[in-house]
């Protein structure tokens, strides 16, 4: 995310702060949520692969926000076999094989290293 320089006129600091808050909220709201496969308690790992430690387990019936996607360990799940891993938060990854995105490919931007 980049930040542009804005010149404020006539005490526009409050308006600029308000506009920034609205923009941030809109950006957060724009991240799509996808359902995890029914009946699955999904392992969340610290990296994009099964060799990374499990840091938590998501409950059944949850929807996850996917911020970006990256290749990793090949996994087979209810939605096929894939090496795509979904970043659901900073340092938190789940296999796309357990998330219904409606696609066998990437649906979000690639994660940057």
């Amino acid at each position: 995310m980049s930040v542009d320089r804005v010149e404020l006129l006539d005490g526009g600091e409050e308006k600029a702060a308000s506009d920034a808050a609205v923009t941030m909220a809109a950006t957060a709201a724009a991240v799509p949520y996808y359902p995890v496969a029914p009946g699955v308690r999904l392992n969340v790992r610290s990296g994009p692969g099964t060799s990374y430690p499990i840091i938590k387990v998501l409950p059944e019936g949850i929807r996850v926000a996917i911020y970006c996607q990256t290749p990793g360990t090949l996994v087979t799940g209810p939605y096929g076999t894939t090496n795509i891993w979904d970043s659901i938060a900073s340092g938190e990854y789940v296999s796309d094989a357990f998330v219904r995105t409606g696609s066998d490919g990437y649906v979000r931007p690639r994660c940057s290293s």
Side-chain angles (χ1 to χ4, degrees):
M1 178 183 281
S2 65
V3 177
D4 295 327
R5 182 171 180 245
V6 177
E7 290 188 31
L8 302 174
L9 304 173
D10 300 326
E13 287 108 4
E14 288 179 21
K15 179 168 179 2
S18 174
D19 289 349
V22 168
T23 300
M24 289 173 61
T27 300
V31 175
Y33 281 74
Y34 299 91
V36 171
V40 171
R41 296 184 68 228
L42 188 58
N43 292 334
V44 178
R45 296 184 178 271
S46 63
T50 55
S51 63
Y52 290 89
I54 296 170
I55 55 176
K56 67 181 175 183
V57 179
L58 299 177
E60 292 181 25
I62 196 163
R63 297 173 65 87
V64 293
I66 300 176
Y67 293 93
C68 62
Q69 295 177 300
T70 192
T73 304
L74 193 65
V75 173
T76 299
Y79 300 118
T81 299
T82 184
N83 73 333
I84 297 174
W85 285 74
D86 305 329
S87 175
I88 62 170
S90 180
E92 297 184 6
Y93 295 85
V94 297
S95 172
D96 196 62
F98 291 88
V99 181
R100 192 180 76 210
T101 62
S103 174
D104 289 338
Y106 288 87
V107 297
R108 300 291 293 147
R110 292 281 182 112
C111 300
S112 58
S113 301

